[in-house]
Amino acid sequence: MYLRNLITFLILFACLKVVANQSVDIIPKPVSLQMYSGSFEITEKTSIQFNSRQTELEQAAHFLSDAIESISGIQLSFNEETEHQIQLKLTSANMLGDEGYNLNVSADGIVLEANAKAGVIYGMQSILQMLPAVRTNAKLIIPCLAIEDYPRFKWRGMHLDVSRHFFGPDVIKQYIDLMASYKMNVFHWHLIDDQGWRIEIKQYPKLTDVGAWRVDYNHLVWDKRPQAKPGEEPTYGGYYTQEQIKEIINYAAERNVTIVPEIEMPGHIASAIAAYPEYCCTQKPQLPLTGGNYTNMSSNYCAGNDAVFTFLENVLNEVLELFPSEYIHIGGDEVNKNSWKKCELCQQRMKDENLKDENELQSYFIKRIEKFLISKNRKMIGWDEILEGGLAPEATVMSWRGEAGGIEAAKMGHDVVMTPGKPCYFDHYQAGPTGEPLAIGGFNTLKTVYDYEPIPHELSTDNAHFVLGAQGNVWTEYMTTVEHLEYMVLPRMAALAEVVWTPKSNKDWDSFNKRINSQFNAYEQKGLNFCRGNATVAFKPISHAGNLSVEMSTEVLDGEIVYTLDGQDPTLKSKAYNEAIKINSTAVLKASVIANGVVVGTEPSSQNFVMHKGIGCDVLYTNPVSTYYLADGPNSLTDGIRGNGTVGKFWHAFNENDLVATLDMGEIKSISDIKLGCLQKYRDWIFMPKEVVFEVSVDGKKFKEVGRVVNPIDANEAELVYDFKTFFKAKKVRYVRVIAKANVCPPGHNGAGKPSWIFADEIMIK
Ligand code: ACM
Ligand code: ZN
């Protein structure tokens, strides 16, 4: 039977006509896709064929037949002699690896081959993307084609925080379904944080009886929620029973999704301390937090108390029993070490173990846990803070504070997963913020996600293979509902899927931007909430040699940009953008996108430009600018654009070193007024410089001080912009130098005593 089928198949394929101008909208884009003329229809008479001794194929056959039944009511038979067949085969093709597949569709039938079940399932996901998304009476027609496909990276992850807001098992399954449809394979389940413990641990029932519940302030914005008072009833929360978790793990495994649980330690565990205060340094009871009121909180396990390690090993034993994953995530981020500084047991531990500071104490903590996990044949992964004080010997690092941690770890020969805030944090805005639900901040559009390259250019080819892949992180502080969660994830998850699956050389934004429309239709049919894409106009100032011009771009498919400089909202009749426009005076640039004959988006994108004598001047920095917060390049401080406090698109950042910026105005000019704009944002470790010094020079060699301003801003101010300024008797000079002195985080802050960031937006000269 197999031989006959094979021969028919080969003959058929030989006769097929290649069609170049047709395609299918599969996401992530396959490695190779060849379209042929004709199509195959799945009907009542189609059967699925497989070797019934291969149970993994039988499981895969069920996956496909269930999916086909749910969209059509058709029940496909297994291994019956029907005229039209879908053949599933295990093969041994080197190129395909563990997860690749070959899919051949002819008018006569379908052949799906892979080395392992994962590949068969992925081939089925490709088939399903070509069929209706929901139950219809439409015919199930698939065009004739040949696909060869396999992933670029082995870690194709999505994270979900279920502590800040709780999402029940059905939501988790839907999330896993979405991941699986895009061939994502790691679900990083953030089960524990200050605001709720979400996994049943039988030996410690109070973790969920107490730690899973908090006083409900969900009607208030996250960072405006008061801490609960004793006596207020905790009514908001929830947790997953071990039975539910087992079911979800199996559900995920059927879709080739591995669940990596995150058992956060040693910080971010107020929920555990609420249940068992004896495991923190003060041993004083406290309540799970209601929101983002972190300041002055100390919610760490005590690193000096051996009972803590016994507790954690007992917890981990139950976790390991449940989760078959090779990796266990132990958190490790944002530990406020103040409690350790004041704790006798912690200080004694540091003496006994010869640890020179609290960073080394954190490292001791993590290494001790890693040793335990290794003894159980598991691998430990943690956030990039686990590098501080010394990395555990076999740890894998998840790089979230930019890529620096990942680069450092890879250079040391450790595996890394890339999840830099830009663009992998899907809790950031994607199309606004105007018109979008309130988010924590940031701006990661669909295209910025799509354009992400997980291998940093800093890594040699030898070190690049330590990058296992990348992951999208979904922190839910601002997401109280499933609808909001869906909106933040869709469609960015699809873009990231193509980043981690599709060969770099095959990536093509325009093609993705077209294909995503099929996904939009599917989301609509399934009743999923999603973002239709970013209709804002991106402004790219080009400040150079005394001139300022602006380039504009749009992510809207076939979108055209119209703009004004007179403050009016652009209309269909406004000037069309073709090439970079010159800015010669203080102006408001407003721009909109036109697509299909209408203006899209809720309101125009708008940018103020302030003119001054430094505009377009080249800036030379004595110390390097953060490559992560670069704003729009080296001349960001002379582009006429002020920063934006919440979204933070135009801030230029410095860490540890002074900001020393020297401007060349190109000719002698008479000036009498210099300002430097700076941001303070307590939560994000951004503080005013200690002091700002202003200097001028005629020849660029000898500089003369013309002003000095000591920081007048209280370090406890949560967020504000302040202009350091100096006025002086007019001077004829060519060069201006601004020195902003590095500062540290204030006492009581999470980073107390550590270098803070300087965020500056503009040097304004009059
Ligand atoms: C993190 O975002 N704190 C890992
Ligand atoms: Zn302690």
Side-chain angles (χ1 to χ4, degrees), residues 166 168-169 189 191 197-202 208 238-249 318 322-323:
F166 180 66
W189 205 357
L191 288 160
W197 181 288
R198 307 286 179 220
I199 170 173
E200 177 190 29
I201 300 294
K202 301 220 194 245
T208 42
Y239 64 93
Y240 310 98
T241 65
Q242 294 200 353
E243 277 314 301
Q244 288 172 326
I245 287 174
K246 278 184 213 160
E247 197 203 324
I248 291 170
I249 290 169
E318 291 193 33
L322 284 169
F323 290 90

Side-chain angles (χ1 to χ4, degrees), residues 155-179 184 186-193 196 198-199 236 240 248 257-264 323 329 383 398 419 424-427 471-490 493 496:
W155 189 295
R156 304 183 302 279
M158 282 299 299
H159 152 286
L160 182 63
D161 165 12
V162 293
S163 173
R164 273 53 180 275
H165 289 101
F166 180 66
F167 299 96
D170 289 346
V171 180
I172 302 301
K173 284 185 187 168
Q174 178 187 301
Y175 197 78
I176 289 167
D177 277 336
L178 282 167
M179 286 179 57
M184 304 285 267
V186 180
F187 173 44
H188 171 170
W189 205 357
H190 185 76
L191 288 160
I192 290 155
D193 216 302
R198 307 286 179 220
I199 170 173
Y236 177 81
Y240 310 98
I248 291 170
V257 172
T258 299
I259 304 186
V260 173
E262 181 180 348
I263 306 303
E264 175 93 73
F323 290 90
H329 201 301
W383 301 110
M398 194 166 260
T419 66
C424 291
Y425 270 41
F426 294 173
D427 53 344
Q471 177 174 292
N473 289 345
V474 185
W475 302 99
T476 58
E477 287 95 333
Y478 286 74
M479 299 171 219
T480 54
T481 65
V482 184
E483 290 73 24
H484 192 178
L485 170 63
E486 289 166 1
Y487 176 88
M488 298 309 272
V489 166
L490 302 175
M493 184 197 281
L496 187 64

Side-chain angles (χ1 to χ4, degrees), residues 65-78:
S65 64
D66 288 353
I68 297 289
E69 186 174 357
S70 76
I71 56 170
S72 66
I74 292 175
Q75 290 178 328
L76 300 178
S77 59
F78 289 176

Side-chain angles (χ1 to χ4, degrees), residues 280-281 301-305 339-340 343 345-346:
C280 76
C281 292
Y301 293 121
C302 176
N305 182 352
S339 64
W340 291 354
C343 168
L345 287 176
C346 286

